[in-house]
Every structure is written in C-alpha cells, then in structure tokens.
Amino acid sequence: MSLGKRLFVCPDRKAFCMSCTKNLLLPELNSVFSKTAVRCVNDFLGKPAAIHENWCVVDRLVTHYDYILTMGGASQNFQSILAIGVSKDFSEIFGVMDKSEFVDILGEFANTYWALLMDDHVFTKHFGILNQSIPVVYSNGTPFLPFISGVQGKVYIENEFIFLGYAIQKVINCSL
Amino acid sequence: MSNTVIVIDDSIFLIKQIVDFFEKQLNFQVVATGNDGNDAVELYKKYKPDLITLDITMPNKDGIEALREILSTDPDAKVLMISAVRGSAMLECMDEGAKGYVEKPLKFNDSEFVKDFKESIKDIFCN
C-alpha cells in the first residue's frame, strides 16, 4: 500500500545525543548567560540587577510563571530557545499597568538579551550567530519546551526576579 | 523646515522611544509609525518621508523584504535599519541599499550611543 507521503524517523538517533551540548560547553558558559542577564537589565531597564543563586545546567528548561515568553533562534549549525518567566507583579518593575504594553516590553527585553548574547565573544566562539524569531508570550501557562540541554537561573531586580533559560543544540539533519 | 521620518517597529515601547529621540533630539517631524513591513511599504508610498527606520524581525513582512520593496519603488529612499539582529544581516541590508544600521539595544541614556546615532543620521543626509 502506498502512503503517498512517508515519514522517516531519523535513522541515527545517536546524533541527538552527540548534539547534546550539556556535557561539553554549557557548564563552561554558565556565567556568560547569567552575566548577560545582568547586563540586559542594566541596559534595557536602566536598573541594577543581581544574581543570588548560581545558574544551573539542566536537561530541559523548566518554567512555570504568570507570564512566559519563548523565543526560538537558529543558524545553519545550531538551534536554540530562550525562555523568560515573570510574575504578574513584575509589571511594576517595567512601570506599566496595561497587559499588552507589559507583553510588548517583555518581548523587547528578550530581544535585547538575545542581542547581547550574540555580542558575547565567548558565546559566538562556540556557537556563532543565531538569528532570533518573533517572541511568543504565554499567560498562566506552561509551554512544552523541547528536551534540549540549557542553562537557567534568575536575575533579581529590587524585590522581584526574572527567570531566564537558554537551551541550545546542534542542528539535527533528518532527510524526509 | 524639518525633515520627515517614518518609524517602523513591532514594539510600541520602542516606537515611543525612537519617536521621542527623532522629535526632541533631532528636530525631525514624525509623520507616521507602523508595526510591520506591510505598514512600512504603504506608509512610505503615502508620505514619501525624508527617512524611514525599519526593524528587521517583524510579523507579516520582515524589514529586509520591506527594504527591497521600498527601494524598488524609490531607489533614492533613505532607509535606516534599527535591529537587534547580529551577524550577516547588517551587510545584507547595506548591500540591498539601506543607508545605515543601528544595533539595538537603544541606549538613549548613554551619551556615546546618542552621539553615534546622531552621526549615523548625519552621514545618511550628507552622502
């Protein structure tokens, strides 16, 4: 029986494991991600920021906040996802009350973080430049984030914090 | 008479900042603002401004596509790209005919950044 279209499972499942960046680079780059977060708050919000707990390397980014933003990005060699989570109270830090304005600013915050990461020579030495997509914001939801190793942590501003996570892996080429 | 400008960005927050900068620091007249590449092309045809600023990553139609369309209708259009995209995008825009490229984040509180931004605008109108 002909199915017209045939789906192929990537024949080399090992490629996924080999593409995992966790054991190779992410622990080394941990501080790049956290320092970039502090710089992003400084540049974008003009406010001082601090890291109180060490950022950690995880098998998959975990987020559950009132507002969650995800932004994908890719190059020919790598694909990645940025996740940002904040509580509703965070709108006071941004100085806005309107939800659409809050979401807009959160998107620009993500855009800024991405740009500053691409300006970091240590990051680009390993991964090169990845182009970001348009951000997606979820409200009161937990998006299903892919099982890709990443670095995540919190950056504190006044009494609130922003959660940031960045997961990255090599592009997996599966012929269809 | 002051120069006219159209500001295109998918962030309302950034549009406010850019408009403020052009009006207060450069004495430009902002004739319109838009949120995507489709707005950019339509508004450019309608107002024929002295300058149009374009973000790159926008919904519906991105800034590079809008740049191409604007230049196909007016090869002398002065287009300034303002984007957070890094890497080859800048060269691509300049090759396509953009007159300048400003990298986000827009640090309007940083005097060096403001100086560079103003120089970019000056260069566009002098060349």
PDB file of all heavy atoms in Angstrom, chain B residues 20-55:
ATOM      1  N   ASP B  20      10.422  59.799  20.175  1.00  0.00           N
ATOM      2  CA  ASP B  20      10.870  60.816  21.129  1.00  0.00           C
ATOM      3  C   ASP B  20      12.269  61.328  20.748  1.00  0.00           C
ATOM      4  O   ASP B  20      12.537  62.529  20.770  1.00  0.00           O
ATOM      5  CB  ASP B  20      10.904  60.173  22.527  1.00  0.00           C
ATOM      6  CG  ASP B  20      10.779  61.206  23.613  1.00  0.00           C
ATOM      7  OD1 ASP B  20       9.855  62.036  23.522  1.00  0.00           O
ATOM      8  OD2 ASP B  20      11.607  61.193  24.539  1.00  0.00           O
ATOM      9  N   PHE B  21      13.128  60.389  20.398  1.00  0.00           N
ATOM     10  CA  PHE B  21      14.503  60.744  20.025  1.00  0.00           C
ATOM     11  C   PHE B  21      14.526  61.626  18.771  1.00  0.00           C
ATOM     12  O   PHE B  21      15.191  62.662  18.739  1.00  0.00           O
ATOM     13  CB  PHE B  21      15.315  59.465  19.801  1.00  0.00           C
ATOM     14  CG  PHE B  21      16.722  59.713  19.332  1.00  0.00           C
ATOM     15  CD1 PHE B  21      17.691  60.161  20.204  1.00  0.00           C
ATOM     16  CD2 PHE B  21      17.067  59.490  18.005  1.00  0.00           C
ATOM     17  CE1 PHE B  21      18.989  60.393  19.774  1.00  0.00           C
ATOM     18  CE2 PHE B  21      18.364  59.717  17.567  1.00  0.00           C
ATOM     19  CZ  PHE B  21      19.325  60.173  18.458  1.00  0.00           C
ATOM     20  N   PHE B  22      13.786  61.204  17.745  1.00  0.00           N
ATOM     21  CA  PHE B  22      13.791  61.978  16.496  1.00  0.00           C
ATOM     22  C   PHE B  22      13.186  63.366  16.692  1.00  0.00           C
ATOM     23  O   PHE B  22      13.677  64.346  16.134  1.00  0.00           O
ATOM     24  CB  PHE B  22      13.036  61.216  15.391  1.00  0.00           C
ATOM     25  CG  PHE B  22      13.918  60.281  14.618  1.00  0.00           C
ATOM     26  CD1 PHE B  22      13.893  58.923  14.861  1.00  0.00           C
ATOM     27  CD2 PHE B  22      14.796  60.762  13.644  1.00  0.00           C
ATOM     28  CE1 PHE B  22      14.716  58.052  14.160  1.00  0.00           C
ATOM     29  CE2 PHE B  22      15.627  59.906  12.945  1.00  0.00           C
ATOM     30  CZ  PHE B  22      15.587  58.545  13.202  1.00  0.00           C
ATOM     31  N   GLU B  23      12.118  63.437  17.470  1.00  0.00           N
ATOM     32  CA  GLU B  23      11.443  64.729  17.647  1.00  0.00           C
ATOM     33  C   GLU B  23      12.245  65.680  18.545  1.00  0.00           C
ATOM     34  O   GLU B  23      12.428  66.850  18.214  1.00  0.00           O
ATOM     35  CB  GLU B  23      10.054  64.510  18.245  1.00  0.00           C
ATOM     36  CG  GLU B  23       9.071  63.920  17.226  1.00  0.00           C
ATOM     37  CD  GLU B  23       7.683  63.733  17.786  1.00  0.00           C
ATOM     38  OE1 GLU B  23       7.536  63.656  19.033  1.00  0.00           O
ATOM     39  OE2 GLU B  23       6.744  63.624  16.988  1.00  0.00           O
ATOM     40  N   LYS B  24      12.720  65.139  19.677  1.00  0.00           N
ATOM     41  CA  LYS B  24      13.360  66.026  20.659  1.00  0.00           C
ATOM     42  C   LYS B  24      14.845  66.243  20.423  1.00  0.00           C
ATOM     43  O   LYS B  24      15.373  67.310  20.686  1.00  0.00           O
ATOM     44  CB  LYS B  24      13.127  65.486  22.068  1.00  0.00           C
ATOM     45  CG  LYS B  24      11.655  65.585  22.468  1.00  0.00           C
ATOM     46  CD  LYS B  24      11.400  65.064  23.844  1.00  0.00           C
ATOM     47  CE  LYS B  24       9.915  65.211  24.173  1.00  0.00           C
ATOM     48  NZ  LYS B  24       9.527  64.429  25.345  1.00  0.00           N
ATOM     49  N   GLN B  25      15.533  65.210  19.939  1.00  0.00           N
ATOM     50  CA  GLN B  25      16.986  65.341  19.788  1.00  0.00           C
ATOM     51  C   GLN B  25      17.402  65.751  18.376  1.00  0.00           C
ATOM     52  O   GLN B  25      18.465  66.315  18.183  1.00  0.00           O
ATOM     53  CB  GLN B  25      17.668  64.010  20.133  1.00  0.00           C
ATOM     54  CG  GLN B  25      17.336  63.523  21.526  1.00  0.00           C
ATOM     55  CD  GLN B  25      18.552  63.582  22.436  1.00  0.00           C
ATOM     56  OE1 GLN B  25      19.554  64.201  22.117  1.00  0.00           O
ATOM     57  NE2 GLN B  25      18.442  62.955  23.581  1.00  0.00           N
ATOM     58  N   LEU B  26      16.572  65.416  17.387  1.00  0.00           N
ATOM     59  CA  LEU B  26      16.977  65.693  16.007  1.00  0.00           C
ATOM     60  C   LEU B  26      16.048  66.680  15.306  1.00  0.00           C
ATOM     61  O   LEU B  26      16.296  67.040  14.152  1.00  0.00           O
ATOM     62  CB  LEU B  26      17.035  64.377  15.210  1.00  0.00           C
ATOM     63  CG  LEU B  26      18.101  63.377  15.652  1.00  0.00           C
ATOM     64  CD1 LEU B  26      17.852  62.011  15.014  1.00  0.00           C
ATOM     65  CD2 LEU B  26      19.489  63.863  15.284  1.00  0.00           C
ATOM     66  N   ASN B  27      14.992  67.059  15.993  1.00  0.00           N
ATOM     67  CA  ASN B  27      14.036  68.016  15.439  1.00  0.00           C
ATOM     68  C   ASN B  27      13.399  67.530  14.135  1.00  0.00           C
ATOM     69  O   ASN B  27      13.110  68.325  13.235  1.00  0.00           O
ATOM     70  CB  ASN B  27      14.718  69.375  15.239  1.00  0.00           C
ATOM     71  CG  ASN B  27      13.708  70.496  15.128  1.00  0.00           C
ATOM     72  OD1 ASN B  27      12.627  70.408  15.725  1.00  0.00           O
ATOM     73  ND2 ASN B  27      14.026  71.524  14.379  1.00  0.00           N
ATOM     74  N   PHE B  28      13.206  66.219  14.016  1.00  0.00           N
ATOM     75  CA  PHE B  28      12.511  65.650  12.857  1.00  0.00           C
ATOM     76  C   PHE B  28      11.006  65.706  13.112  1.00  0.00           C
ATOM     77  O   PHE B  28      10.561  65.719  14.267  1.00  0.00           O
ATOM     78  CB  PHE B  28      12.903  64.176  12.654  1.00  0.00           C
ATOM     79  CG  PHE B  28      14.125  63.955  11.812  1.00  0.00           C
ATOM     80  CD1 PHE B  28      15.335  64.556  12.136  1.00  0.00           C
ATOM     81  CD2 PHE B  28      14.080  63.129  10.704  1.00  0.00           C
ATOM     82  CE1 PHE B  28      16.475  64.336  11.372  1.00  0.00           C
ATOM     83  CE2 PHE B  28      15.206  62.899   9.930  1.00  0.00           C
ATOM     84  CZ  PHE B  28      16.411  63.507  10.259  1.00  0.00           C
ATOM     85  N   GLN B  29      10.253  65.674  12.014  1.00  0.00           N
ATOM     86  CA  GLN B  29       8.803  65.554  12.143  1.00  0.00           C
ATOM     87  C   GLN B  29       8.426  64.093  11.853  1.00  0.00           C
ATOM     88  O   GLN B  29       8.645  63.609  10.735  1.00  0.00           O
ATOM     89  CB  GLN B  29       8.108  66.485  11.150  1.00  0.00           C
ATOM     90  CG  GLN B  29       6.597  66.470  11.294  1.00  0.00           C
ATOM     91  CD  GLN B  29       5.890  67.130  10.120  1.00  0.00           C
ATOM     92  OE1 GLN B  29       6.529  67.727   9.243  1.00  0.00           O
ATOM     93  NE2 GLN B  29       4.577  67.014  10.094  1.00  0.00           N
ATOM     94  N   VAL B  30       7.893  63.399  12.853  1.00  0.00           N
ATOM     95  CA  VAL B  30       7.476  62.009  12.655  1.00  0.00           C
ATOM     96  C   VAL B  30       6.087  62.021  12.024  1.00  0.00           C
ATOM     97  O   VAL B  30       5.106  62.421  12.655  1.00  0.00           O
ATOM     98  CB  VAL B  30       7.463  61.239  13.996  1.00  0.00           C
ATOM     99  CG1 VAL B  30       7.014  59.796  13.766  1.00  0.00           C
ATOM    100  CG2 VAL B  30       8.845  61.267  14.643  1.00  0.00           C
ATOM    101  N   VAL B  31       6.011  61.606  10.753  1.00  0.00           N
ATOM    102  CA  VAL B  31       4.734  61.709  10.035  1.00  0.00           C
ATOM    103  C   VAL B  31       3.866  60.468  10.200  1.00  0.00           C
ATOM    104  O   VAL B  31       2.649  60.525  10.018  1.00  0.00           O
ATOM    105  CB  VAL B  31       4.944  61.999   8.529  1.00  0.00           C
ATOM    106  CG1 VAL B  31       5.443  63.412   8.335  1.00  0.00           C
ATOM    107  CG2 VAL B  31       5.896  61.000   7.893  1.00  0.00           C
ATOM    108  N   ALA B  32       4.481  59.332  10.539  1.00  0.00           N
ATOM    109  CA  ALA B  32       3.697  58.107  10.736  1.00  0.00           C
ATOM    110  C   ALA B  32       4.545  57.059  11.442  1.00  0.00           C
ATOM    111  O   ALA B  32       5.783  57.139  11.429  1.00  0.00           O
ATOM    112  CB  ALA B  32       3.221  57.563   9.391  1.00  0.00           C
ATOM    113  N   THR B  33       3.866  56.100  12.049  1.00  0.00           N
ATOM    114  CA  THR B  33       4.551  54.944  12.631  1.00  0.00           C
ATOM    115  C   THR B  33       3.802  53.679  12.204  1.00  0.00           C
ATOM    116  O   THR B  33       2.614  53.739  11.886  1.00  0.00           O
ATOM    117  CB  THR B  33       4.588  54.994  14.175  1.00  0.00           C
ATOM    118  OG1 THR B  33       3.250  54.973  14.678  1.00  0.00           O
ATOM    119  CG2 THR B  33       5.302  56.242  14.680  1.00  0.00           C
ATOM    120  N   GLY B  34       4.510  52.552  12.187  1.00  0.00           N
ATOM    121  CA  GLY B  34       3.867  51.289  11.804  1.00  0.00           C
ATOM    122  C   GLY B  34       4.530  50.124  12.504  1.00  0.00           C
ATOM    123  O   GLY B  34       5.608  50.274  13.106  1.00  0.00           O
ATOM    124  N   ASN B  35       3.869  48.961  12.412  1.00  0.00           N
ATOM    125  CA  ASN B  35       4.318  47.810  13.200  1.00  0.00           C
ATOM    126  C   ASN B  35       4.853  46.619  12.402  1.00  0.00           C
ATOM    127  O   ASN B  35       5.261  45.626  12.985  1.00  0.00           O
ATOM    128  CB  ASN B  35       3.173  47.311  14.087  1.00  0.00           C
ATOM    129  CG  ASN B  35       2.634  48.402  14.975  1.00  0.00           C
ATOM    130  OD1 ASN B  35       1.502  48.824  14.852  1.00  0.00           O
ATOM    131  ND2 ASN B  35       3.489  48.903  15.859  1.00  0.00           N
ATOM    132  N   ASP B  36       4.794  46.687  11.079  1.00  0.00           N
ATOM    133  CA  ASP B  36       5.359  45.572  10.305  1.00  0.00           C
ATOM    134  C   ASP B  36       5.786  46.065   8.914  1.00  0.00           C
ATOM    135  O   ASP B  36       5.616  47.245   8.577  1.00  0.00           O
ATOM    136  CB  ASP B  36       4.386  44.392  10.207  1.00  0.00           C
ATOM    137  CG  ASP B  36       3.102  44.723   9.465  1.00  0.00           C
ATOM    138  OD1 ASP B  36       3.070  45.703   8.696  1.00  0.00           O
ATOM    139  OD2 ASP B  36       2.109  44.002   9.652  1.00  0.00           O
ATOM    140  N   GLY B  37       6.310  45.158   8.130  1.00  0.00           N
ATOM    141  CA  GLY B  37       6.807  45.529   6.806  1.00  0.00           C
ATOM    142  C   GLY B  37       5.718  46.015   5.873  1.00  0.00           C
ATOM    143  O   GLY B  37       5.966  46.862   5.003  1.00  0.00           O
ATOM    144  N   ASN B  38       4.519  45.477   6.012  1.00  0.00           N
ATOM    145  CA  ASN B  38       3.406  45.941   5.167  1.00  0.00           C
ATOM    146  C   ASN B  38       3.105  47.412   5.451  1.00  0.00           C
ATOM    147  O   ASN B  38       2.893  48.198   4.526  1.00  0.00           O
ATOM    148  CB  ASN B  38       2.149  45.092   5.410  1.00  0.00           C
ATOM    149  CG  ASN B  38       2.298  43.689   4.869  1.00  0.00           C
ATOM    150  OD1 ASN B  38       2.966  43.484   3.848  1.00  0.00           O
ATOM    151  ND2 ASN B  38       1.699  42.714   5.533  1.00  0.00           N
ATOM    152  N   ASP B  39       3.066  47.763   6.738  1.00  0.00           N
ATOM    153  CA  ASP B  39       2.866  49.171   7.114  1.00  0.00           C
ATOM    154  C   ASP B  39       3.956  50.037   6.491  1.00  0.00           C
ATOM    155  O   ASP B  39       3.696  51.127   5.977  1.00  0.00           O
ATOM    156  CB  ASP B  39       2.941  49.349   8.644  1.00  0.00           C
ATOM    157  CG  ASP B  39       1.716  48.799   9.359  1.00  0.00           C
ATOM    158  OD1 ASP B  39       0.712  48.503   8.674  1.00  0.00           O
ATOM    159  OD2 ASP B  39       1.771  48.670  10.596  1.00  0.00           O
ATOM    160  N   ALA B  40       5.180  49.529   6.549  1.00  0.00           N
ATOM    161  CA  ALA B  40       6.336  50.300   6.071  1.00  0.00           C
ATOM    162  C   ALA B  40       6.162  50.684   4.599  1.00  0.00           C
ATOM    163  O   ALA B  40       6.330  51.846   4.224  1.00  0.00           O
ATOM    164  CB  ALA B  40       7.621  49.502   6.259  1.00  0.00           C
ATOM    165  N   VAL B  41       5.829  49.693   3.781  1.00  0.00           N
ATOM    166  CA  VAL B  41       5.710  49.926   2.336  1.00  0.00           C
ATOM    167  C   VAL B  41       4.555  50.892   2.047  1.00  0.00           C
ATOM    168  O   VAL B  41       4.705  51.858   1.285  1.00  0.00           O
ATOM    169  CB  VAL B  41       5.513  48.583   1.586  1.00  0.00           C
ATOM    170  CG1 VAL B  41       5.274  48.829   0.106  1.00  0.00           C
ATOM    171  CG2 VAL B  41       6.729  47.686   1.789  1.00  0.00           C
ATOM    172  N   GLU B  42       3.422  50.642   2.681  1.00  0.00           N
ATOM    173  CA  GLU B  42       2.234  51.501   2.460  1.00  0.00           C
ATOM    174  C   GLU B  42       2.493  52.932   2.906  1.00  0.00           C
ATOM    175  O   GLU B  42       2.196  53.890   2.191  1.00  0.00           O
ATOM    176  CB  GLU B  42       1.040  50.948   3.250  1.00  0.00           C
ATOM    177  CG  GLU B  42       0.264  49.872   2.526  1.00  0.00           C
ATOM    178  CD  GLU B  42      -0.919  49.396   3.349  1.00  0.00           C
ATOM    179  OE1 GLU B  42      -1.531  50.219   4.051  1.00  0.00           O
ATOM    180  OE2 GLU B  42      -1.207  48.185   3.304  1.00  0.00           O
ATOM    181  N   LEU B  43       3.026  53.068   4.113  1.00  0.00           N
ATOM    182  CA  LEU B  43       3.239  54.414   4.663  1.00  0.00           C
ATOM    183  C   LEU B  43       4.313  55.175   3.882  1.00  0.00           C
ATOM    184  O   LEU B  43       4.224  56.397   3.723  1.00  0.00           O
ATOM    185  CB  LEU B  43       3.616  54.334   6.157  1.00  0.00           C
ATOM    186  CG  LEU B  43       2.489  53.857   7.074  1.00  0.00           C
ATOM    187  CD1 LEU B  43       3.018  53.562   8.483  1.00  0.00           C
ATOM    188  CD2 LEU B  43       1.376  54.907   7.148  1.00  0.00           C
ATOM    189  N   TYR B  44       5.314  54.440   3.399  1.00  0.00           N
ATOM    190  CA  TYR B  44       6.357  55.120   2.618  1.00  0.00           C
ATOM    191  C   TYR B  44       5.764  55.704   1.338  1.00  0.00           C
ATOM    192  O   TYR B  44       6.031  56.860   0.982  1.00  0.00           O
ATOM    193  CB  TYR B  44       7.527  54.178   2.283  1.00  0.00           C
ATOM    194  CG  TYR B  44       8.651  54.951   1.632  1.00  0.00           C
ATOM    195  CD1 TYR B  44       9.593  55.606   2.411  1.00  0.00           C
ATOM    196  CD2 TYR B  44       8.714  55.104   0.245  1.00  0.00           C
ATOM    197  CE1 TYR B  44      10.583  56.387   1.830  1.00  0.00           C
ATOM    198  CE2 TYR B  44       9.694  55.882  -0.339  1.00  0.00           C
ATOM    199  CZ  TYR B  44      10.627  56.518   0.454  1.00  0.00           C
ATOM    200  OH  TYR B  44      11.592  57.310  -0.130  1.00  0.00           O
ATOM    201  N   LYS B  45       4.947  54.882   0.647  1.00  0.00           N
ATOM    202  CA  LYS B  45       4.326  55.353  -0.605  1.00  0.00           C
ATOM    203  C   LYS B  45       3.427  56.552  -0.341  1.00  0.00           C
ATOM    204  O   LYS B  45       3.360  57.483  -1.138  1.00  0.00           O
ATOM    205  CB  LYS B  45       3.502  54.219  -1.231  1.00  0.00           C
ATOM    206  CG  LYS B  45       4.341  53.148  -1.905  1.00  0.00           C
ATOM    207  CD  LYS B  45       3.452  52.045  -2.439  1.00  0.00           C
ATOM    208  CE  LYS B  45       4.262  50.900  -3.023  1.00  0.00           C
ATOM    209  NZ  LYS B  45       3.433  49.715  -3.290  1.00  0.00           N
ATOM    210  N   LYS B  46       2.732  56.522   0.787  1.00  0.00           N
ATOM    211  CA  LYS B  46       1.771  57.582   1.098  1.00  0.00           C
ATOM    212  C   LYS B  46       2.459  58.899   1.474  1.00  0.00           C
ATOM    213  O   LYS B  46       2.068  59.967   1.006  1.00  0.00           O
ATOM    214  CB  LYS B  46       0.876  57.118   2.255  1.00  0.00           C
ATOM    215  CG  LYS B  46      -0.250  58.074   2.590  1.00  0.00           C
ATOM    216  CD  LYS B  46      -1.145  57.490   3.677  1.00  0.00           C
ATOM    217  CE  LYS B  46      -2.232  58.486   4.075  1.00  0.00           C
ATOM    218  NZ  LYS B  46      -3.052  57.975   5.185  1.00  0.00           N
ATOM    219  N   TYR B  47       3.501  58.807   2.292  1.00  0.00           N
ATOM    220  CA  TYR B  47       4.094  60.049   2.838  1.00  0.00           C
ATOM    221  C   TYR B  47       5.403  60.479   2.180  1.00  0.00           C
ATOM    222  O   TYR B  47       5.814  61.621   2.337  1.00  0.00           O
ATOM    223  CB  TYR B  47       4.332  59.889   4.351  1.00  0.00           C
ATOM    224  CG  TYR B  47       3.067  59.837   5.158  1.00  0.00           C
ATOM    225  CD1 TYR B  47       2.537  58.623   5.585  1.00  0.00           C
ATOM    226  CD2 TYR B  47       2.388  61.005   5.494  1.00  0.00           C
ATOM    227  CE1 TYR B  47       1.375  58.564   6.329  1.00  0.00           C
ATOM    228  CE2 TYR B  47       1.212  60.963   6.250  1.00  0.00           C
ATOM    229  CZ  TYR B  47       0.723  59.740   6.668  1.00  0.00           C
ATOM    230  OH  TYR B  47      -0.436  59.685   7.400  1.00  0.00           O
ATOM    231  N   LYS B  48       6.068  59.556   1.491  1.00  0.00           N
ATOM    232  CA  LYS B  48       7.380  59.872   0.898  1.00  0.00           C
ATOM    233  C   LYS B  48       8.272  60.658   1.875  1.00  0.00           C
ATOM    234  O   LYS B  48       8.669  61.807   1.604  1.00  0.00           O
ATOM    235  CB  LYS B  48       7.198  60.693  -0.382  1.00  0.00           C
ATOM    236  CG  LYS B  48       6.481  59.970  -1.498  1.00  0.00           C
ATOM    237  CD  LYS B  48       7.436  59.124  -2.281  1.00  0.00           C
ATOM    238  CE  LYS B  48       6.704  58.451  -3.441  1.00  0.00           C
ATOM    239  NZ  LYS B  48       7.420  57.373  -4.046  1.00  0.00           N
ATOM    240  N   PRO B  49       8.580  60.076   3.007  1.00  0.00           N
ATOM    241  CA  PRO B  49       9.354  60.820   4.022  1.00  0.00           C
ATOM    242  C   PRO B  49      10.825  60.981   3.610  1.00  0.00           C
ATOM    243  O   PRO B  49      11.306  60.302   2.692  1.00  0.00           O
ATOM    244  CB  PRO B  49       9.251  59.905   5.247  1.00  0.00           C
ATOM    245  CG  PRO B  49       9.177  58.534   4.657  1.00  0.00           C
ATOM    246  CD  PRO B  49       8.385  58.673   3.392  1.00  0.00           C
ATOM    247  N   ASP B  50      11.523  61.849   4.315  1.00  0.00           N
ATOM    248  CA  ASP B  50      12.957  62.016   4.058  1.00  0.00           C
ATOM    249  C   ASP B  50      13.740  60.805   4.564  1.00  0.00           C
ATOM    250  O   ASP B  50      14.839  60.525   4.079  1.00  0.00           O
ATOM    251  CB  ASP B  50      13.467  63.277   4.773  1.00  0.00           C
ATOM    252  CG  ASP B  50      12.772  64.521   4.251  1.00  0.00           C
ATOM    253  OD1 ASP B  50      12.698  64.670   3.024  1.00  0.00           O
ATOM    254  OD2 ASP B  50      12.291  65.325   5.071  1.00  0.00           O
ATOM    255  N   LEU B  51      13.175  60.111   5.550  1.00  0.00           N
ATOM    256  CA  LEU B  51      13.853  58.946   6.145  1.00  0.00           C
ATOM    257  C   LEU B  51      12.807  57.963   6.670  1.00  0.00           C
ATOM    258  O   LEU B  51      11.738  58.377   7.137  1.00  0.00           O
ATOM    259  CB  LEU B  51      14.729  59.411   7.323  1.00  0.00           C
ATOM    260  CG  LEU B  51      15.497  58.346   8.103  1.00  0.00           C
ATOM    261  CD1 LEU B  51      16.651  57.781   7.271  1.00  0.00           C
ATOM    262  CD2 LEU B  51      16.064  58.923   9.405  1.00  0.00           C
ATOM    263  N   ILE B  52      13.124  56.679   6.555  1.00  0.00           N
ATOM    264  CA  ILE B  52      12.267  55.667   7.194  1.00  0.00           C
ATOM    265  C   ILE B  52      13.164  54.723   7.990  1.00  0.00           C
ATOM    266  O   ILE B  52      14.235  54.332   7.505  1.00  0.00           O
ATOM    267  CB  ILE B  52      11.389  54.899   6.169  1.00  0.00           C
ATOM    268  CG1 ILE B  52      10.466  53.889   6.897  1.00  0.00           C
ATOM    269  CG2 ILE B  52      12.210  54.202   5.096  1.00  0.00           C
ATOM    270  CD1 ILE B  52       9.358  53.316   6.029  1.00  0.00           C
ATOM    271  N   THR B  53      12.775  54.404   9.223  1.00  0.00           N
ATOM    272  CA  THR B  53      13.546  53.450  10.016  1.00  0.00           C
ATOM    273  C   THR B  53      12.798  52.120  10.007  1.00  0.00           C
ATOM    274  O   THR B  53      11.572  52.093  10.116  1.00  0.00           O
ATOM    275  CB  THR B  53      13.744  53.916  11.474  1.00  0.00           C
ATOM    276  OG1 THR B  53      12.516  53.797  12.191  1.00  0.00           O
ATOM    277  CG2 THR B  53      14.252  55.339  11.540  1.00  0.00           C
ATOM    278  N   LEU B  54      13.549  51.033   9.861  1.00  0.00           N
ATOM    279  CA  LEU B  54      12.939  49.701   9.791  1.00  0.00           C
ATOM    280  C   LEU B  54      13.585  48.748  10.783  1.00  0.00           C
ATOM    281  O   LEU B  54      14.817  48.637  10.825  1.00  0.00           O
ATOM    282  CB  LEU B  54      13.129  49.098   8.392  1.00  0.00           C
ATOM    283  CG  LEU B  54      12.407  49.696   7.195  1.00  0.00           C
ATOM    284  CD1 LEU B  54      12.803  48.924   5.935  1.00  0.00           C
ATOM    285  CD2 LEU B  54      10.897  49.614   7.393  1.00  0.00           C
ATOM    286  N   ASP B  55      12.748  48.073  11.557  1.00  0.00           N
ATOM    287  CA  ASP B  55      13.208  46.924  12.338  1.00  0.00           C
ATOM    288  C   ASP B  55      13.355  45.755  11.356  1.00  0.00           C
ATOM    289  O   ASP B  55      12.813  45.819  10.242  1.00  0.00           O
ATOM    290  CB  ASP B  55      12.145  46.620  13.412  1.00  0.00           C
ATOM    291  CG  ASP B  55      12.570  45.540  14.383  1.00  0.00           C
ATOM    292  OD1 ASP B  55      13.763  45.175  14.397  1.00  0.00           O
ATOM    293  OD2 ASP B  55      11.704  45.069  15.139  1.00  0.00           O
TER     294      ASP B  55
END
